[in-house]
Amino acid sequence: MGQTYQEAIENSNVVSKTDINGVITFVNDEFCRISGFSKEELIGANHNIVRHPEVPEEDFERLWTTILDKKPYKTTVKNKCKDGSTVYLNTTITPILDENDEIREFIAIRYDVTKEVELKKALEKKDKELLTLNKTLEQRVKEQTAQLIELNQTLEHRVNEEIAKNKEKQKMLFWQSRMASLGQMLANIAHQWRQPLTELSLTMFNIKRTAKKCDLEKLDLYYKESLGIIENMSQTIDDFSNFFNPNKPKEKFFLTNAINDSLLITKKLVQKENLNIQTDFEDIEVFGVLNELSQVIINLIQNSSEAFKVNEIKDKKITIIIKREENYAVLQFEDNAGGASENLLDKIFEPYFTTKHQSNGTGLGLFMSKMIIEKSLDGTIRVENIDNGLKFTIKIPLGDNNEQ
């Protein structure tokens, strides 16, 4: 029976024996395979033959102090192979005593943990890089927040100047002063960050799960995905700052370009939530700010996606139509996400009004969308219930009147 136990240990572990002076007296085949030395090279040699030069001298002093005190010593050892490569072995060294309770020899049983150690080091390196990126992102937020505070402090003066220049802009500038306040800005950034923060949390979970599987390739893939999400979050800050810039020029653009830009930005959300988006576009040129109209469409898509989840809709459909009606470009956005109560439709564009849980939104998305349509495109937006969903209709005037 003892022989069977010995064979089992030798076949599944790295085993060696040394005399009391550390001279190797026995090694199994696994020891030779791991180290790259033959049995002839190892037996009779001091165990220092596999000692790694980077291991501190005090580690060996602690080892010898322990085993000469007739106690087992457990640690993870960094060894150097014959070809110069490094292996990490989880090691237990046990003194073998004779009938006089004196040390006769030492037996060491090890198993290879090189992949685990290297993976841990790689993960720690990635963590440090992510921490550095996070600090950089925090700095960007602080810088942008300082600019927003300055904008908020000087906005009243600019509003008064614009009112004096053109009384027709009075209503627009009034809303602009409210929208540019620091509190609203931070709330909107938080609203836009909720989805990528969820994605980042999921990716970090995947990194942790992949680390346990020792899959360095997938670990690097999830790491790069995290970087992309963080970069997009950083870009969101710039996008919001640009949106609240009162000096942005209006220009002619095709509605199809604005829609396609919004579909590109929400591509990942559409794929993840399995949204079926159908389009029917007539090529129509309008006058305004393209990026702001894209922001409206992005908000509508995100709202529909949330409604699909809440109402547990399986066949998720969104239809976007662009057509011409007399002197107007008409953009229709429809979904089958369940619609809304009739008594809520009149309040749907009010600031901070929302039917969602607080964790899913601030109630500013549709309010912002209405302001964009009215101030940037001189248009209108309305909402109504249709079969199993909502229909938003945006009307933008055509011709010279909206190029003033």
Side-chain angles (χ1 to χ4, degrees), residues 20-184:
I20 194 169
N21 297 314
V23 176
I24 299 174
T25 59
F26 169 82
V27 292
N28 68 344
D29 293 338
E30 189 67 11
F31 190 105
C32 296
R33 187 190 68 79
I34 289 290
S35 68
F37 291 98
S38 66
K39 287 186 179 181
E40 290 74 13
E41 292 173 306
L42 291 169
I43 294 177
N46 192 283
H47 208 284
N48 285 342
I49 191 173
V50 293
R51 175 178 176 178
H52 199 287
E54 294 180 0
V55 177
E57 183 67 33
E58 53 265 27
D59 287 5
F60 290 95
E61 293 176 357
R62 184 165 53 252
L63 182 156
W64 280 104
T65 299
T66 302
I67 61 178
L68 289 177
D69 196 31
K70 303 176 183 179
K71 298 177 182 178
Y73 183 81
K74 296 182 179 181
T75 188
T76 298
V77 177
K78 182 178 183 181
N79 280 354
K80 182 178 180 181
C81 301
K82 184 176 180 180
D83 62 4
S85 61
T86 298
V87 293
Y88 293 89
L89 303 173
N90 199 318
T91 303
T92 300
I93 302 174
T94 304
I96 304 299
L97 308 180
D98 59 19
E99 60 275 7
N100 297 320
D101 201 32
E102 297 295 332
I103 299 175
R104 186 180 66 196
E105 60 181 350
F106 301 104
I107 183 169
I109 300 177
R110 311 168 178 84
Y111 62 91
D112 188 6
V113 292
T114 303
K115 288 186 177 180
E116 290 84 347
V117 172
E118 290 179 347
L119 181 61
K120 181 180 179 182
K121 289 183 176 180
L123 190 58
E124 289 174 349
K125 181 180 178 182
K126 301 298 184 187
D127 284 342
K128 289 180 180 178
E129 292 176 357
L130 284 174
L131 181 61
T132 301
L133 285 172
N134 186 52
K135 290 181 179 178
T136 302
L137 184 60
E138 289 178 356
Q139 182 61 33
R140 290 285 309 281
V141 172
K142 290 179 180 178
E143 292 174 356
Q144 293 296 330
T145 300
Q147 294 180 18
L148 291 173
I149 293 174
E150 181 181 358
L151 174 64
N152 189 53
Q153 292 172 343
T154 61
L155 186 58
E156 183 179 358
H157 176 68
R158 290 202 300 272
V159 168
N160 291 332
E161 287 184 349
E162 290 298 320
I163 291 175
K165 292 178 181 178
N166 189 348
K167 291 183 180 181
E168 294 297 323
K169 295 181 180 179
Q170 183 175 3
K171 181 179 179 180
M172 178 192 71
L173 293 174
F174 168 74
W175 285 112
Q176 191 176 34
S177 70
R178 293 188 63 183
M179 291 170 64
S181 67
L182 178 61
Q184 289 174 329

Side-chain angles (χ1 to χ4, degrees), residues 252 287 397-404:
K252 289 183 178 181
F287 187 76
L398 301 174
D400 296 332
N401 290 336
N402 65 324
E403 298 184 22
Q404 295 176 357

Side-chain angles (χ1 to χ4, degrees), residues 42 210 280 308 333 364 374 398:
L42 291 169
T210 304
D280 183 6
F308 286 134
F333 182 100
L364 286 168
E374 292 180 351
L398 301 174

Side-chain angles (χ1 to χ4, degrees), residues 365-383:
L366 288 176
F367 169 71
M368 285 178 55
S369 297
K370 185 173 186 293
M371 292 301 100
I372 289 172
I373 297 301
E374 292 180 351
K375 79 180 185 66
S376 294
L377 296 162
D378 297 322
T380 61
I381 181 172
R382 62 184 179 88
V383 61

